[in-house]
Amino acid sequence: MLPYLLLLLFVPQADAFTWESVTSGNIPHFSSAMSYNNNPFATAGDTLYVATPGGLLIRTPDGDRMWTVADGILTSNGVTTVSIAKDGGVWVGCSDKSIAHLYPKNNEGYWLDPFRNDAEINEIQLICENRNELLVSTNSGISRLTFSTHLNDWIVKENYHSFGSITRNSTVYDLLVKHDTIWVATNQGLAYGLWNNSSLITPLGWHNISGLMPEVRNIIDFHDTIFVSNDVGGCYSIVDTVAHNIYSGWIARVGSFNDSLILLMANDIYRLSNLTPFGLRRPISLLATAPQKIYTYCPSTTTSVSSYASYDQATSSWTVDNPNTPLYYNLRGGTRRTDGAVGVICGGIPELGINIRRNNEWSFYNRFSDLIDTGLYRQDPLVIVPDPYNNFWVGTLSSGLAVIYPDSIQYFDHYAATGGHIGGRNGSESTISAIGFLSTGRIVAVNQEAVDGNTLVLLPEGAGVTRGWENGPWLRVGSFQDTPIPYVTRLAIDPWDRVWLAASNIGSQKLTAYDFRGTYLNTTDDIRKNFSTEAGLPADLPVESMACSSDGTLYLAVGSYLYYAHLGESLTGTTFYSLALPFSVSSVNSLTTDAMGQIWVGTNNGLALLAADGQSWITSFHKSTATNPTGLSSNNIGKIQFVNSTGELFIVNDYGISILKTPFRQMGQSLGSITPIPNPYINNGSAYMKFGETGLVSDADIRIFTVSGLLVRKLGFLEAAGVGWDGKNSSGQRVASGVYYITVTAPDGKTSRGKIAVITP
């Protein structure tokens, strides 16, 4: 085993990396399929704030926007509750039990984490502000927060767990403070207590309202009277601590609008005065009101995606729409094309499937899709990859292979109607678990548990370019009884077009290389070779991810380690070595290479970058915090992919997708003109000069001279391509104002020259 080294070759400055979120999930945490103990809706004027698993959705007449981790302040995209703050901002609770105070109009705010050391609390459910203090409902009860000027931080002042006869294990559905009386709606009834009563920390400090069914869903203050919705009991008013039933029947929520009480029932909203419906006539799970607006949320069905609806009093009409964001959680992966199009796969839930964003517009595909007949009778996509022709290829669990064109979809499985190109268990339910591209452009797919044992499927030449390609020759090869087959789930292709196969299940023992020998339709000269403990691999080999660099180094993610081997034209003598991560992890989840041959490693505890030498760690990223903001809403990194042409790392995370913009983009093949940016360059000690789009090629030699020819600085390629020149000489001192000459020499000896005017304040 080679020794483990921890070196920092080049640590890019923070401004060399920027973050973007392509996250969403416009499904609120509170929906028809979820519990009522989160409040995801809040209104202020004509603005609706929605807590979603992908960030804070802000809806205004001018359009929608998402506030995510990449925008700062938030430390998790999993927003669980939102309420309007007294100062015009909004309070936001997150799934990592942090709280944010946001000012969306100014893009400002601050972050607090009062429960970071409380192991019993795992979610913020409700936030209610009164007298510069906060009541925060969690899975463990209600906490009262106050701001400590001594500590300059929010702290927990008191905890409330039992409310009169309502026991500690109750679920809090709603909170209201009226005239310094705290009202608590729970699944065991309604309770109230005085704000300044020191006995609130005990059940004796609370009083209960009798005459109600147990489930009290929500509380409102209307015309100085408390009204509650009471599950199947209906709507009650609370007068002198006595409950009066004013409507019997099932209602989800009670609200007020235009000086009337309104009731949210199964398929519409009704005015209580005359029980006339507002005319929405569809299932509703949420309700919020403004002076002239009603806001609702309509959960998804098997034939449509979820939508938002608003009623305008001025026009007496409804507007129903869906934000331009995808419906997803339970992300299984995603990919990004060189043109910026995004594909996201989701699984485990019938309404979810494949979401694709082209030109900032989302399309949605699944077995119930009303956009297109996909033919995917069981959605559960496993893998999605782009091809060079602006198509997405999707491998599914039990529905075979699909290619999604800009205007249609085509699929292939075991049915004769689709060519029978893909096999499956017992001749049915064909699964495609991995897809790759050979250097010739041919597509190869892993047909897991194929009935004929032929695990590799080689598509016809030109697949995806024009219609009709599918009529060409398909090739099915495999029948390897001594390999991970039939449970192959991982695939990588090396520079010699050899296909490497592995399995992710526990008990896997083999790694297999398959070589077509350049004759793809002739299998007689094909070579396959297995690797196991004799090649340095562990006896148990569940491979979670595979990646091969341009220089032929193959990396495997196995448990909490990386294994790597330097490949050559011959497979004989191939030996694997283990490499530990620079920080503690329990699993390595994903691998990808970038344009510089570096390896990006996604783990359960953050993201790490390994240098092209395979031994030196360059930098790492972890979940965003107040003191170290990043674009990661979770340390648990899912699938990752690097887009060489743009230098962007595409990261699938627990609550959506993050894009890390890096300096490691693919450089041009030939050296062009040097166009320093900016020119003149203000050398203030914090700004950097870039070399322009054509000013660098990989592994170039970069030097900066004075007009008299004195060498000022020699830059490493990664430094120049990353942050650029910091305006300092080789001694670390800022250079004086003046004109400086730049020379860039490519590895082939060609040189380009430029000049820059420097102004040093």
Side-chain angles (χ1 to χ4, degrees):
M1 182 179 294
L2 293 182
Y4 166 64
L5 301 176
L6 178 57
L7 301 177
L8 295 179
L9 293 182
F10 157 62
V11 181
Q13 301 295 320
D15 56 1
F17 299 103
T18 57
W19 292 90
E20 173 189 348
S21 287
V22 185
T23 184
S24 174
N26 62 12
I27 303 173
H29 271 267
F30 175 92
S31 72
S32 61
M34 302 178 192
S35 63
Y36 282 80
N37 58 331
N38 293 82
N39 179 20
F41 263 28
T43 58
D46 56 2
T47 300
L48 172 67
Y49 300 96
V50 186
T52 83
L56 180 66
L57 174 62
I58 304 171
R59 311 206 73 195
T60 70
D62 297 326
D64 298 336
R65 64 164 288 201
M66 295 290 294
W67 189 315
T68 69
V69 168
D71 296 299
I73 314 302
L74 292 182
T75 58
S76 171
N77 282 334
V79 178
T80 57
T81 187
V82 59
S83 65
I84 304 300
K86 301 295 185 182
D87 61 3
V90 290
W91 291 103
V92 174
C94 296
S95 59
D96 65 352
K97 64 186 185 183
S98 67
I99 298 173
H101 193 182
L102 305 179
Y103 301 93
K105 291 183 179 180
N106 302 325
N107 292 319
E108 297 175 347
Y110 61 89
W111 173 85
L112 50 148
D113 193 13
F115 306 116
R116 57 185 173 273
N117 297 320
D118 193 331
E120 292 187 2
I121 294 176
N122 55 43
E123 185 184 59
I124 308 298
Q125 297 172 345
L126 299 165
I127 301 175
C128 180
E129 182 180 2
N130 185 59
R131 291 182 176 269
N132 298 319
E133 293 187 331
L134 296 179
L135 290 179
V136 180
S137 172
T138 72
N139 59 290
S140 184
I142 297 174
S143 296
R144 185 165 173 174
L145 307 185
T146 188
F147 186 79
S148 169
T149 55
H150 175 68
L151 298 174
N152 194 33
D153 196 7
W154 287 83
I155 60 172
V156 177
K157 180 180 180 181
E158 294 176 341
N159 289 306
Y160 311 138
H161 297 293
S162 301
F163 314 100
S165 61
I166 298 174
T167 63
R168 183 184 180 95
N169 62 352
S170 62
T171 300
V172 176
Y173 287 146
D174 203 2
L175 290 171
L176 175 70
V177 179
K178 168 182 165 57
H179 300 328
D180 278 350
T181 298
I182 306 172
W183 293 86
V184 183
T186 77
N187 64 328
Q188 297 181 19
L190 183 66
Y192 68 93
L194 296 179
W195 180 263
N196 292 318
N197 187 348
S198 60
S199 300
L200 291 178
I201 59 175
T202 71
L204 299 177
W206 298 87
H207 306 277
N208 302 107
I209 301 296
S210 59
L212 295 171
M213 299 287 285
E215 300 269 341
V216 180
R217 294 297 188 179
N218 77 302
I219 323 166
I220 69 166
D221 177 14
F222 178 67
H223 285 185
D224 209 28
T225 300
I226 296 294
F227 291 87
V228 300
S229 63
N230 188 211
D231 201 21
V232 296
C235 178
Y236 289 77
S237 64
I238 310 299
V239 180
D240 295 329
T241 70
V242 177
H244 301 271
N245 183 251
I246 58 176
Y247 175 78
S248 298
W250 185 92
I251 62 172
R253 297 184 75 83
V254 60
S256 62
F257 173 71
N258 198 24
D259 210 33
S260 298
L261 280 174
I262 57 176
L263 308 178
L264 191 160
M265 299 187 186
N267 292 298
D268 214 326
I269 298 171
Y270 291 78
R271 293 179 176 88
L272 182 60
S273 57
N274 52 18
L275 287 182
T276 56
F278 276 77
L280 183 57
R281 296 187 180 89
R282 63 176 62 199
I284 306 165
S285 63
L286 293 174
L287 174 67
T289 61
Q292 295 295 317
K293 290 272 191 177
I294 298 176
Y295 298 96
T296 67
Y297 177 76
C298 306
S300 60
T301 67
T302 57
T303 58
S304 67
V305 296
S306 301
S307 58
Y308 292 85
S310 60
Y311 179 82
D312 190 336
Q313 175 66 24
T315 60
S316 300
S317 62
W318 285 98
T319 299
V320 181
D321 67 352
N322 189 64
N324 187 26
T325 53
L327 282 171
Y328 61 75
Y329 49 95
N330 191 24
L331 294 182
R332 287 189 174 177
T335 189
R336 193 178 201 188
R337 293 197 316 235
T338 56
D339 65 354
V342 168
V344 178
I345 59 175
C346 320
I349 298 173
E351 291 83 0
L352 304 183
I354 304 162
N355 291 278
I356 292 177
R357 186 182 75 168
R358 304 184 186 94
N359 300 319
N360 294 321
E361 293 292 333
W362 286 95
S363 301
F364 176 62
Y365 305 85
N366 74 348
R367 59 176 171 169
F368 304 119
S369 177
D370 56 0
L371 301 177
I372 194 166
D373 179 12
T374 65
L376 302 178
Y377 65 91
R378 183 175 177 183
Q379 86 287 359
D380 282 353
L382 298 177
V383 59
I384 183 169
V385 297
D387 68 15
Y389 313 108
N390 293 332
N391 308 313
F392 284 103
W393 293 83
V394 180
T396 72
L397 175 66
S398 304
S399 291
L401 177 70
V403 53
I404 301 177
Y405 298 109
D407 57 353
S408 61
I409 187 171
Q410 191 169 8
Y411 61 97
F412 303 92
D413 57 19
H414 61 283
Y415 285 119
T418 57
H421 300 302
I422 309 296
R425 286 190 299 265
N426 301 318
S428 64
E429 296 190 359
S430 48
T431 294
I432 298 295
S433 57
I435 303 169
F437 295 87
L438 302 173
S439 63
T440 59
R442 279 185 179 271
I443 301 173
V444 61
V446 172
N447 189 181
Q448 185 175 317
E449 295 185 271
V451 67
D452 60 1
N454 292 320
T455 295
L456 284 182
V457 180
L458 191 67
L459 275 63
E461 187 175 6
V465 182
T466 59
R467 301 302 169 82
W469 62 265
E470 61 274 10
N471 298 320
W474 292 63
L475 182 66
R476 296 179 54 81
V477 297
S479 298
F480 315 140
Q481 300 306 316
D482 57 344
T483 68
I485 296 167
Y487 301 105
V488 172
T489 52
R490 309 303 176 208
L491 173 151
I493 299 174
D494 67 23
W496 296 271
D497 265 0
R498 292 178 300 228
V499 180
W500 293 79
L501 303 171
S504 58
N505 57 297
I506 300 296
S508 303
Q509 298 178 349
K510 303 287 186 181
L511 174 71
T512 297
Y514 189 90
D515 191 349
F516 290 100
R517 307 284 291 176
T519 56
Y520 301 111
L521 300 183
N522 177 14
T523 60
T524 60
D525 63 347
D526 292 355
I527 296 175
R528 73 174 182 271
K529 184 174 178 61
N530 295 331
F531 300 87
S532 189
T533 53
E534 76 286 348
L537 293 169
D540 190 23
L541 192 64
V543 177
E544 190 60 35
S545 184
M546 305 170 68
C548 194
S549 64
S550 57
D551 69 352
T553 302
L554 178 66
Y555 293 87
L556 311 178
V558 183
S560 60
Y561 282 84
L562 291 183
Y563 282 82
Y564 69 95
H566 299 298
L567 308 179
E569 291 189 16
S570 172
L571 294 173
T572 302
T574 299
T575 303
F576 287 84
Y577 304 93
S578 65
L579 181 65
L581 273 290
F583 47 81
S584 176
V585 304
S586 59
S587 65
V588 179
N589 301 333
S590 50
L591 304 171
T592 190
T593 58
D594 66 19
M596 303 295 133
Q598 303 168 137
I599 310 300
W600 291 85
V601 184
T603 77
N604 71 304
N605 191 29
L607 182 70
L609 176 59
L610 180 64
D613 64 7
Q615 290 291 299
S616 309
W617 294 99
I618 294 177
T619 190
S620 63
F621 299 91
H622 297 273
K623 181 183 180 298
S624 182
T625 65
T627 56
N628 183 30
T630 69
L632 294 178
S633 60
S634 169
N635 279 330
N636 189 33
I637 309 299
K639 304 297 182 183
I640 56 177
Q641 176 212 355
F642 197 86
V643 183
N644 287 342
S645 61
T646 62
E648 294 175 332
L649 183 68
F650 189 83
I651 306 164
V652 175
N653 226 1
D654 285 359
Y655 291 100
I657 294 170
S658 297
I659 296 174
L660 176 60
K661 299 180 180 179
T662 81
F664 309 121
R665 63 179 177 82
Q666 189 174 48
M667 300 296 171
Q669 298 299 313
S670 60
L671 191 60
S673 60
I674 301 173
T675 55
I677 302 171
N679 194 358
Y681 161 52
I682 308 299
N683 186 14
N684 59 13
S686 60
Y688 289 81
M689 185 212 77
K690 305 288 186 179
F691 290 84
E693 288 295 319
T694 61
L696 297 175
V697 293
S698 295
D699 298 323
D701 178 88
I702 301 100
R703 301 181 186 227
I704 300 170
F705 299 88
T706 65
V707 291
S708 61
L710 178 66
L711 177 63
V712 173
R713 180 82 174 273
K714 179 180 178 180
L715 298 176
F717 168 69
L718 289 180
E719 184 178 8
V723 295
W725 181 40
D726 59 4
K728 296 177 182 178
N729 59 25
S730 56
S731 299
Q733 299 172 329
R734 282 193 289 162
V735 301
S737 299
V739 175
Y740 292 81
Y741 287 95
I742 303 167
T743 64
V744 176
T745 304
D748 61 6
K750 294 182 179 179
T751 298
S752 181
R753 293 179 173 84
K755 62 181 180 179
I756 177 74
V758 176
I759 301 174
T760 300

